[in-house]
Structure formats: structure tokens, C-alpha cells
Amino acid sequence: ITAEGDTDTDISARIGKAASVFRRMNPVWNSGKISRVLKTKLLQSVVIPTVLYACETWKITTKMRNKLDASQQRCLRKILHITYRDRITNKEIYHRTGTKPLSITITERRMRYAGHVLRMTSDRHAKTSMFWKPEGKRKRGRPKLTWRRTLQKDLESRGVSLKDAESLAKDRAEWRRLAAQCALHGRN
């Protein structure tokens, strides 16, 4: 995270590290003896965690969401030996591999993390920082995207305010359901 709180640099670095891991596993992806199911499981257990490290704390823009999903598609298409010229949709690729877009996984993880923070007592630093508002006037122009604004956008997609979310988070099963709905709605 940069001094301005920008996560784009971290996301790009994570994508680069995952691409490096993926390239080192080229003999596996090119092997005809390893099943597609096993290759997908290897991707999900080795490469994807490299991308998603600390993703719960990312404020994510549409540009970065698309960049993450595109990097995942590159990997999946390489495993399936499908090029973009084959004109097979991303949705079909996800269906064939039984995976979902990284952007959905990131939203689910952010919501799960938010649930942990919302259940904390008010004297904890993480909870205090979630509701902290800086004093004074802000600069002209559109407000910068923050993690809290990203979370609020996720919640508002389901008609829930941040204050209401605090009481909802106390019921873990209900919060899990809300997190899954926010993740799926965020892609539409």
C-alpha cells in the first residue's frame, strides 16, 4: 500500500508474482497425463492464493477488478488450451473449470473480514478505525476511494447501511449469507 493508501501497486505486484508461479508450473499445465480437474485444483491451491494474499484489505476499483479477473482467465485458458481466438466466453471458461471470478472471491473475503471487525468491541483499533472520520475540510473534487467506501458500496448493493451492518454481523450465519449476496451482486 502506497503512502496515499493506493492498492493498485500491491495488486499489480501480486498479479506479477502469481504469473511467475504459474510460469514455473508450465510443465504441469502442458502435461497430457494430468487431468484438467487436478490442474484446476493446483491453480486454486498454488497460484490463486499468491494473488489473493491480504486481499481483504484492498480497496478495489473496476479497473483493478477487471485486471484480476483477466489474469485468472489467462491462467484458466492456458490450462484448457483455449485461446481468445476460439471465441469461448469467460462465463463458459468458469463453468468448465468450476471456478468463479477472483473479484467475487475478493468481495466475499472483504465482507468476512468486515464481519470480524464489526463483531469486535468498540475499544479495538480496527473497529475504531472503521468508523473514524477525519476532521476538517477535504480537498476539492471527488473523494478518494477507501476501503470503507468499497465496503459501503458492497453493503448498499443489498440495501444495508454500515450502521445496520454492525447489528447484522452479530449473527454469523446471516452475515455469511449477506456476504455471498454482496459478492454476487457486485459483478452484475
Side-chain angles (χ1 to χ4, degrees), residues 3-161:
E4 296 84 36
D6 190 23
T7 56
D8 292 1
T9 308
D10 183 40
I11 293 171
S12 295
R14 291 265 129 225
I15 290 170
K17 289 175 183 178
S20 175
V21 170
F22 187 82
R23 277 191 302 275
R24 276 186 268 153
M25 294 181 70
N26 258 341
V28 173
W29 313 134
N30 294 330
S31 172
K33 296 179 180 175
I34 300 173
S35 73
R36 180 187 55 177
V37 173
L38 182 56
K39 289 178 185 180
T40 305
K41 285 182 180 179
L42 284 169
L43 177 76
Q44 293 293 103
S45 61
V46 178
V47 179
I48 299 302
T50 306
V51 176
L52 297 182
Y53 181 78
C55 69
E56 299 86 356
T57 61
W58 292 345
K59 58 178 187 169
I60 194 157
T61 61
T62 303
K63 176 184 169 188
M64 282 297 124
R65 178 180 293 128
N66 293 340
K67 193 172 180 179
L68 285 159
D69 288 343
S71 69
Q72 180 188 25
Q73 276 295 319
R74 268 192 303 279
C75 295
L76 292 172
R77 286 174 183 273
K78 170 90 172 164
I79 288 171
L80 296 174
H81 303 290
I82 295 173
T83 67
Y84 286 103
R85 290 186 193 141
D86 295 333
R87 304 193 52 86
I88 295 174
T89 64
N90 291 347
K91 195 173 185 178
E92 177 62 23
I93 300 292
Y94 290 129
H95 178 72
R96 287 185 187 185
T97 57
T99 58
K100 58 187 173 187
L102 286 181
S103 54
I104 289 177
T105 305
I106 290 168
T107 303
E108 285 174 345
R109 288 185 180 194
R110 180 175 42 253
M111 291 293 293
R112 272 199 333 240
Y113 177 68
H116 291 303
V117 174
L118 289 169
R119 284 188 292 274
M120 290 178 181
T121 58
S122 296
D123 61 327
R124 302 280 301 272
H125 292 300
K127 177 95 176 248
T128 305
S129 67
M130 183 178 265
F131 292 101
W132 176 76
K133 298 246 180 175
E135 295 177 10
K137 288 187 112 179
R138 65 173 183 80
K139 295 178 184 174
R140 284 177 36 175
R142 184 175 71 187
K144 292 204 180 282
L145 181 66
T146 61
W147 183 84
R148 182 174 52 208
R149 285 195 184 104
T150 304
L151 176 64
Q152 284 172 330
K153 187 176 160 190
D154 292 339
L155 291 169
E156 286 168 4
S157 73
R158 303 311 303 155
V160 178
S161 71

